[in-house]
Amino acid sequence: MKDSIKKEQLKKLIDLKSSLENKRDSEKKNTWDKLKRYVLPELLEASEREKLIHYSTTARRYTNLAANALQGWAYGRTISWLNIEIEDKNVKGKDVDKDAREWFQECRQIMLDDLAKADFYDESLAFTEVVLNLSTGIMLLDWNEENDSFVVENVSPDRCVIAQDKFHHVNLCMYEFTLNKDQAEDMFGDDCPQKIKDAKGYSEDYVFTKAMLSSKRYDIDNVPGEGEWIEIIWSEDDKEKAVSSRRTTHKPFICWRFERSLTGSPWGCNSPGEMCLANIIDLNIKEKAKQQGMQLRLMPPIKATEGLALNLTPNGVTRVSGSRDFAYTPPPGNSEEVLVEIQRVEQYMKEAYYVDFFLMLQQTLEKNKTATEATLLADEKSQIMASFTSRLNNEFLEPILETLWDMEIKHGRFPMPPDSLKGEEIRIDYVSPLALAQRKAQIYVPARQFIAETLSFAEIDPSVRYIFKIPEYATQMAQDMMIDERFLNSPEEVQAKVQQDQQLAMEQMQSQNAQNEAKTNAAVYSAYSKAPEKGSVASQLTGTSGGNNKQ
């Protein structure tokens, strides 16, 4: 590198990494090692995985079920989960014309396509499984200039150290990664450490550390580029100088924590895995005991006379004589008690991993209920995960969408916006079936109840019908439910149809009035054109002789 950060500043980063590693290990290592062993063996080295013997895979199964269900309801590839609109809510929908709405939709589709190309859905599934157990997940974000594509990578938190600011926002992350000689020389070129250049083989892996930090808190000199965020890479075999450094405008990582620690630690806490760790270990022991008990009952111990040869093959015959004999020894203990305890622990873990919640939610929608009943029950159950999904939104989905949006603009991936959006701030919203259910429970369900209650008074006072803004309500619901713009009329088209209906109603009223007037005139004419009957009171009053007045 032409410019290199000062050796003193690099040393401070290396010392900071060591300090943060000690804090991480003292707080999390013991718990994480056990959870990796019992629930996330894929995070272990291959040699360690070979030594594992699992008697229960319940926690792994529930982790996978919960992660898949959460992705399917919150940010899956088959659902609509992001929306683009004007930032200012006060003007939203008022001046957004058809061109703007179509532009929003096209940009949204580009973002979804780029997420799919980046294997975001596969990476985020593993990311979610890690958070559900280790309470903290870390995902790297970047842009591949060569392929002009978005890049995401899930990193195991036990390879990382993090720090947070006074507002509990993670503003520093360092993680270790390995490269062989060929990869290192390709990535760092002339700045590749000399030891690696001189290596004769390509089989050995070398450890590097990448530090990503906010310059608002950790300012480093001589870092090329522009932007708040700084990235620095050094080799663990040569800590005298950095092999790469740059500035970037986007935050190069996201850190999602299941719950924020109240002790000041930057690491998350109280995930289902951490809360159920004792149960996970206990369940493994009980499953082992259950399997051993089944083996004892299928092949119980045998008490036999010394020297007696037993034939234990199927239909085998053992011949005994005199006092020589053998007998099966019944195994001790009550297997039913073990089975009941296993079921109790599994039910607790199922609830902790939210498996029951997603099953109830799915069953609610599949049962033979009216649409209103199913919607109300789904809305009610969605509140169970409100606090959890709040952090999912704030620390995972919104940051990744905002970063992707900025990268798409920077690299010219979007078409030119229409003139109607000039000067407008654009907002990326997280929208999904789960988020919509929660939003409906908070906004639309009370609104529907309000409308129903209000209309019940319409017979007493018809003016109450005009209190609620029905068109605005319907427009907002269509936006939140991600209804395709092609199926909706624009505000101008709606106004034109309203005027058309009013004109038609006016013409119908005029036509009806004309018909009523014609009927009235006809009745009057009929009354006057008919002569009074002869001898009637009318004929006497009018002085006519009555009858037909024929000439």
Side-chain angles (χ1 to χ4, degrees), residues 297-355:
R297 280 163 176 74
L298 292 172
M299 297 181 292
I302 300 174
K303 182 180 179 181
T305 304
E306 185 177 358
L308 179 64
L310 299 178
N311 184 353
L312 300 179
T313 60
N315 297 320
V317 178
T318 299
R319 302 185 183 278
V320 296
S321 62
S323 60
R324 307 182 77 183
D325 198 2
F326 72 94
Y328 288 103
T329 302
N334 186 345
S335 61
E336 292 298 323
E337 293 180 357
V338 176
L339 293 176
V340 169
E341 184 62 15
I342 286 175
Q343 291 175 355
R344 184 191 67 81
V345 175
E346 286 184 337
Q347 181 58 35
Y348 171 77
M349 291 170 56
K350 185 185 289 186
E351 294 173 358
Y353 277 94
Y354 298 105
V355 175

Side-chain angles (χ1 to χ4, degrees), residues 226-380:
E226 296 180 353
E228 174 190 345
W229 292 91
I230 296 173
E231 297 180 5
I232 299 172
I233 301 176
W234 68 84
S235 168
E236 292 298 322
D237 292 316
D238 182 4
K239 300 180 180 180
E240 295 297 315
K241 66 173 184 177
V243 295
S244 174
S245 64
R246 68 168 183 171
R247 286 181 180 268
T248 179
T249 55
H250 71 272
K251 187 176 181 178
F253 67 93
I254 55 176
C255 181
W256 174 24
R257 295 165 291 185
F258 190 87
E259 285 186 17
R260 182 175 66 82
S261 173
L262 300 180
T263 64
S265 168
W267 298 102
C269 62
N270 295 338
S271 66
E274 289 188 346
M275 297 292 287
C276 293
L277 179 56
N279 302 97
I280 293 171
I281 296 173
D282 183 50
L283 188 60
N284 200 65
I285 295 172
K286 286 182 169 61
E287 282 287 351
K288 179 180 179 180
K290 184 185 80 171
Q291 293 178 26
Q292 290 176 336
M294 292 175 64
Q295 290 176 340
L296 285 173
R297 280 163 176 74
L298 292 172
M299 297 181 292
I302 300 174
K303 182 180 179 181
T305 304
E306 185 177 358
L308 179 64
L310 299 178
N311 184 353
L312 300 179
T313 60
N315 297 320
V317 178
T318 299
R319 302 185 183 278
V320 296
S321 62
S323 60
R324 307 182 77 183
D325 198 2
F326 72 94
Y328 288 103
T329 302
N334 186 345
S335 61
E336 292 298 323
E337 293 180 357
V338 176
L339 293 176
V340 169
E341 184 62 15
I342 286 175
Q343 291 175 355
R344 184 191 67 81
V345 175
E346 286 184 337
Q347 181 58 35
Y348 171 77
M349 291 170 56
K350 185 185 289 186
E351 294 173 358
Y353 277 94
Y354 298 105
V355 175
D356 270 350
F357 163 75
F358 286 112
L359 289 176
M360 285 190 299
L361 192 61
Q362 188 63 33
Q363 291 169 1
T364 296
L365 300 178
E366 291 177 352
K367 283 182 180 178
N368 187 21
K369 294 180 178 292
T370 67
T372 302
E373 288 174 329
T375 300
L376 290 174
L377 283 171
D379 295 342
E380 179 183 350

Side-chain angles (χ1 to χ4, degrees), residues 516-531:
N516 292 339
E517 185 177 357
K519 288 181 180 179
T520 301
N521 293 336
V524 171
Y525 175 78
S526 176
Y528 276 101
S529 62
K530 185 176 181 182

